[in-house]
Structures are given as structure tokens and as C-alpha cells.
Amino acid sequence: FDLDHDNLDEVIVTYIINDSIWLEILNVEKGGFYRRLMATGEDRDGNGHWDGGSNPAKAVDLNNDGNDELIINIDTGYDLYPRKVICLDWANDIVLWEYEHANILNTNNVFIESDRETGGKYLVLGLTSKGNAAVVRDMDDSHSYLVVLDENGRELWKKCTGESFTQGMPVVIEYDDDEIFEVAVGHNSITRISGDDTTVTPNGRIIVYDHTGEVLDSIACGSNRKITDLNLVDIYGDGESEIVVNLSDNSIVILNQKLEVIGKYKFPAVSHIWDSRDFLGTGENQLLINIHGNQFMLTDSKFNLLAQFTDENPFERAFHVAVRPDPNGKEWILYETNRKGVACYALDLQESPWYTIFSRKPILAFLAAFVPLSIVIAIIWLVLNKFRQKNMIIREQHDKLNRALVELHNAQSKLIAAEKYKQAKDIAGGVAHEIHNALYPARASLDQLKNRLGLTGDEELNRNRTLLNLSEKAVVRALKMVELVKIYSRLESEKKHESVLLKDVIDEIIDANKMEIEQLGASVKTEIPDKLQIACCRAHAFSLLNNIIINALQAIQNSEERSITVSAAYDGKQAKIEITDSGLGIPEDRIDRIFDTFYTTRPSGGTGLGLSIVKKIAELYDGSVSVKSPLDKGAEFIILLPTV
């Protein structure tokens, strides 16, 4: 960091000597010019040194004295708690503040933002869980956290972002163009088997908070995929960083700061984008990607491979600096690895000439081209011959299939015609039977009236009126039968999708049957959302629901309690309508037949078409109707119809 703003970078080094952590600042002119003891601990496991650690995370001028203060993580290891983040004013050799916590600071996810109104600073920290027993205030090391502090180290707000062994992964973004920062954080929720610590389903999700900690948005990363890393990288070199999401299936997803996906890439192993800059001096950024801890890939911004380097030892970390002036504007890659201890290496990016044996011996190039070409031609000829044979077999099979389809079509036409004839015969027979039953009493009554013509007296007049009433009822029943058959036969031709307010239809039905409801002394309760609309012809909706409610009114005539309930609710993309009554119910041996044409459970007065029309209308609009009826406990009709 350029801590004193003199255009000369300083190097901050932390190291352990026995039981102590030290921090030292160096540069090329002054050498080591500042040194401070940061923390001490105990060697409890007898390994010769304290197992704590320290990492400088950020440098920023918090007290406006012209020098950047250092934000430093102190990891006290297993020997001492709590862990803490400190703000070191190195120029005055004082610690401005300390923030104690139970976790490990993720130094890759530390951000400092200015408050445009007050001029103050916000510190956004990601705290990682290692699953130890540490507890500080309301935080523990069994969870990871997002924490926001003010410039004096006071906690403004925090959020839990995962369970044991999950990382705190916040990034600061501009989500809603309000010029006030937002925080996107990777959150891993994990489903576990009860009584077992085995992970079943990790579910990664990115949650966006505003600067006060309120949730603005979230995006799921898919089931069985955990977020392993979340960073900001300026992939395209346009000054606006993209969100890079590393997932547990070795894929990388690129999002813009509005959480819109702009790229997805799959890698053969765990991968991380370590840097994005113009390494090659071409005027466009390239990406430096680490694969599986021991391989570098240099790609363009669309992840096309430009160069790669593999080391037999795993990389500890990589730095990307120009370690010497380069007239071509290229940069070296400096990385650290464990090779016989700790060592650092620098990679130079150069073009390599391509030499082969064919450039030295052209005859080999000719043979290398001719022999494979001959083999390829022979293979192509064999393949084409096989294709010709298969094509002949396919044509023969195609002809057989066509003949079979013609025969199947003819058989299907005959079956359809036979089924239509059977349906017509059944309907005609049923209608004839019902009209005969309806008109037979009328004929008998009229015969008696004819014989009684001329008889006078009050008794004879009353008898004549009774016979006329019987005739009228029989004729009305016959006409009603004819009308129901007409309705049944025209349902498909009258089908149309309308937007029907269900509550209005139910209210109209109740009003139409008001007289009978009052005569029975029945109560009709409705529980229907005001805005629930069904996609159905209004006349069909009225007929369907009216038939069921009339059945319910007839079912409760002989009951002590006379009540009907009509309720409705959304069920996915359908409306679920339930109509229950307090009648005597339907016998179990009859319940499977109540929707059959001309079947009725009433000894007299039933046509057997009402519920057939109900089922026909429901199926006409891709819905359904069913019934449940425990004996002596009433009946419940359940209708599913599509919503608008």
C-alpha cells in the first residue's frame, strides 16, 4: 500500500516469532522503518510456536491525517480468544480501535465505503466460520457473518450468512442506482439428516442488503450447489466490477451489479479468478485463473485460453505486479509456493515459437497427411455403404408403418362411429324411458278426466283439479327432461372462455334459490375471495354450480340441521371450490355412479342428468369434479376450474 501518499508503495509484513505476532512496514528507500508487536499467545500443543496469525486487509485514511491507517486481522488460533479486527494508526503508533469477534476475517472480502451525507466511512467485513467453540457477545464460530462497522469500529448491523465451515463473502455493489452502497452476500443454508451431521442439500443464495441492513433482493444458485467464493472483478476493464460467484460444482457464474446473469462457465476442478488486468499489453483485460491450486490459466474476458502454467506444488498465493520496467507494457506474475519450504517465483509472459519435426523433414509432413487421408477415405466409404443399407431397411419399415397407420385409422374411425351410435342409443333410450314415465301419469289422469266430464259438485271439482295438477306436473317433468337433454347435447358447441367473477355467480345462484332456502329454513354460508376469477362460460359456470347447490338443498330436506357451505381458494393455477351440505350423505355403493347419465339416487323426481352435466362442464374446461360423502355426515363436492 502507498500508506503515506508519496507515490511509493510500502510493503506490510506480518510474521510469528515463538509466541508473538509482529508487523513490519518496509519500502525500497527506508528499508524497515516501522515495527510493532501485535499479539502474544502460548505454545499449548508443543509445536514450537503459537498457532495464531495476522493479515493486513485494507489501508484507508480514517482520521484524515494524510496517512492511511491499516485494517488488520488478528487470528489468535486455538490458544486465545477473542479474535479481533484492529485499526492501526502506524504514523502515531497507536491502535485507534479494536472489534472483537469469534470468527476468522475473510481478508478478500473487506470493503470500505464513504457516507456521502456525513463524510464518514463504513467498513464491510466478512467473518468465516471454522466450527470451533469460540463465542463473543451474540456471535459464535459455528456461523459465518456479514458485519458493517462505522469508522470508529462500532458495530452498526450484522447478518448470519451460514453455518459451520462457511465463509463470510460480502461484496459492495451499486444495485439500485441510488448512489448509496448495497451489500451482496453469499448465504449457504444446509439441510441435514436429523440426528446426523451429514450434509444432504446445500442451497446457495445471494442476498442483497441496503446500507441499513434491510433485504432488497435475493437470487438462488440452485439446489445441491453451495457458494464457495464471492468476489468483485472488473472482467471487461470498463471500470465497473462484475460479481464472480464460485459454486461447489466447479462452475463460475458472472453477474452484473443488478444481479443479472451475464455468463456461466464450467471448469474441470475448483477454480478462482485471481486477477483481471492487461497482462499482455494489448489494451484489453485478461483473466488470471487458478485451477485446483497448482495451475494458472490466462484467458481473455470470454474465458478463451491464451496461456497456462502448471506447478507440481500447490500455490499459496499470487501477486500481480510489474517487478521490473517492461518496454512492451507487460506484467510479470509473482506467486508463492511450498517447494522445499516457502519460495517465490516470477512468471514472464512471452510468445513461444512453434517448432516440429515436420518443419525439419517435409517428407514426413507429406506422409503424415497422405496416410491418415487414405484411412479417412476408406472409413467414409464403409460408413456410406452402411448408410445405404440402413436407408433401404428404413424405407421398407416406413412403408410397413404407413400401411399399419392406414389400417389403424380405419379401425379408429369405425370405433368412433360405434361409440357415437352407442352414446346416441343410450341417450335416446334414457330420454324415451324418462318421458314415458313422465307422461304415463298424465295420460291416466286425462282418461279419468274424460270419463268424469259432466259431473258436478265440489267433491268432483276438487278431484278434477287434482287430476289436472298431476297431468301438469307430468308434462313439466317431460319438458324439463327434454330441456336437460338439449343442454347436455349443446355444451361443447357453446364452450367459450370468459373471465367470470366466482363470487357473483354464487350470489346469483343463492338469490335464484332464495325461496326454497327460506322454506327449508336453511343457512347458506360462503367463503369466496372477492377477486377470484375463473376461465369459463358464465352460463356453464352457473349451470355447474346451480345443479350441485340444488342437489344439496334436496339432500338436507330430511335433516335436523340444514346448512350448506360454499368455499373457494386458489390452488396453483386453478380455483378449488368446495360445496358441503349437512344431509344424510350418499351410500357407498352408489357414490361411484352419481355422475353417470340418467342415474339418480332419488326414488322419484330425479332426471339423472344434473350431475352428468356438472361433470361434462368441468371436463370441458380442463377441470374436474369429485365427491366425498361419509354416511350420515353429508356430502362434499370438490370442483377444480382454471383461473384467469
Side-chain angles (χ1 to χ4, degrees), residues 438-439 441-442 445-446 465-479:
L439 293 181
S445 298
L446 290 172
R465 288 192 186 96
T466 301
L467 293 172
L468 282 171
N469 287 335
L470 288 173
S471 301
E472 183 181 8
K473 288 181 181 179
V475 171
V476 167
R477 184 181 174 196
L479 290 173

Side-chain angles (χ1 to χ4, degrees), residues 109-123:
N109 291 77
V110 176
F111 296 86
I112 300 173
E113 284 293 316
S114 298
D115 188 328
R116 292 176 174 81
E117 296 181 357
T118 65
K121 300 280 193 309
Y122 292 97
L123 279 75

Side-chain angles (χ1 to χ4, degrees), residues 315-377:
F315 307 147
E316 288 295 314
R317 59 179 62 85
F319 311 94
H320 322 113
V321 294
V323 295
R324 67 176 182 182
D326 189 331
N328 298 319
K330 299 179 182 179
E331 296 190 2
W332 287 11
I333 301 169
L334 186 67
Y335 74 97
E336 176 186 321
T337 183
N338 288 331
R339 187 199 300 269
K340 298 179 181 177
V342 179
C344 290
Y345 297 86
L347 299 181
D348 189 8
L349 296 166
Q350 296 180 352
E351 294 184 7
S352 300
W354 181 258
Y355 294 109
T356 68
I357 190 172
F358 301 116
S359 60
R360 296 191 295 270
K361 295 184 179 181
I363 186 65
L364 292 178
F366 171 76
L367 292 174
F370 177 76
V371 173
L373 182 61
S374 301
I375 295 172
V376 168
I377 291 173

Side-chain angles (χ1 to χ4, degrees), residues 53 73-77 80-85 99-106 125-147 155 158-168:
N73 175 53
I74 303 294
D75 176 11
T76 53
L80 183 66
Y81 293 107
R83 298 155 178 153
K84 56 189 174 181
V85 177
Y99 176 74
E100 296 181 344
H101 59 86
N103 307 73
I104 304 295
L105 178 69
N106 186 348
L125 312 176
L127 299 180
T128 292
S129 165
K130 293 297 183 183
N132 297 323
V135 176
V136 175
R137 296 186 303 278
D138 57 347
M139 288 188 292
D140 58 63
D141 197 24
S142 296
H143 298 85
S144 56
Y145 296 92
L146 156 66
V147 178
E155 182 185 293
K158 64 175 175 290
K159 301 289 180 180
C160 178
T161 61
E163 300 178 10
S164 295
F165 305 105
T166 58
Q167 292 193 71

